[in-house]
Amino acid sequence: MITVWVIAGAFLLFRGVPGVLALWRSRSWTGSECSIVGVRPSITYSYRVGSDEFVGQRRTFDPGPALGASLSDAGRGEFVVGQSLWLWYDPRNPQSSVLRRSAFVSMLLVVLGLTSLALATSTLFSGDAP
């Protein structure tokens, strides 16, 4: 059982840590207005930084597509082509942008990964390990 907890914990951390780190780094990002240019198969938006125009697709820092990067029919109603929204971009690399500076799924994966590793560690050192 310890092996399963260690493998599961490592996998969950592997999937969650990049999003949490990206969220942390985005604290210094610059906000700007963008325009929705497409909603199928996923959200696409365009924005300007100085005289350069960029196109982005990232909604949050959560992993995808397995965990919801593309929009369901219900989620598509939230975005309309031509709609103006606020986004965040990296001033050092303006091609890197996100609509919402959030990483809820990533943080949940990290918490579950750490919990799994804690269970493995506590079981290993409690003397109950087979």
Side-chain angles (χ1 to χ4, degrees), residues 36-44 71 76 78-81 83:
I36 303 299
V37 295
V39 293
R40 292 192 187 268
S42 63
I43 185 85
T44 305
L71 294 174
R76 280 193 185 93
E78 180 182 355
F79 302 104
V80 179
V81 172
Q83 178 182 10

Side-chain angles (χ1 to χ4, degrees), residues 14 32 38 40 62 65-66 69 83 115 117:
F14 176 75
S32 180
R40 292 192 187 268
D62 288 326
Q83 178 182 10
T115 301
L117 292 175

Side-chain angles (χ1 to χ4, degrees), residues 49-109:
V49 176
S51 61
D52 298 324
E53 186 169 342
F54 300 95
V55 175
Q57 292 186 324
R58 185 188 279 175
R59 290 180 64 199
T60 68
F61 292 115
D62 288 326
L67 296 175
S70 64
L71 294 174
S72 66
D73 287 336
R76 280 193 185 93
E78 180 182 355
F79 302 104
V80 179
V81 172
Q83 178 182 10
S84 291
L85 296 173
W86 199 254
L87 65 74
W88 301 93
Y89 70 89
D90 184 348
R92 292 174 287 157
N93 179 16
Q95 288 179 311
S96 185
S97 64
V98 68
L99 285 177
R100 295 189 181 112
R101 283 193 300 186
S102 67
F104 175 76
V105 172
S106 294
M107 287 190 267
L108 181 61
L109 291 173

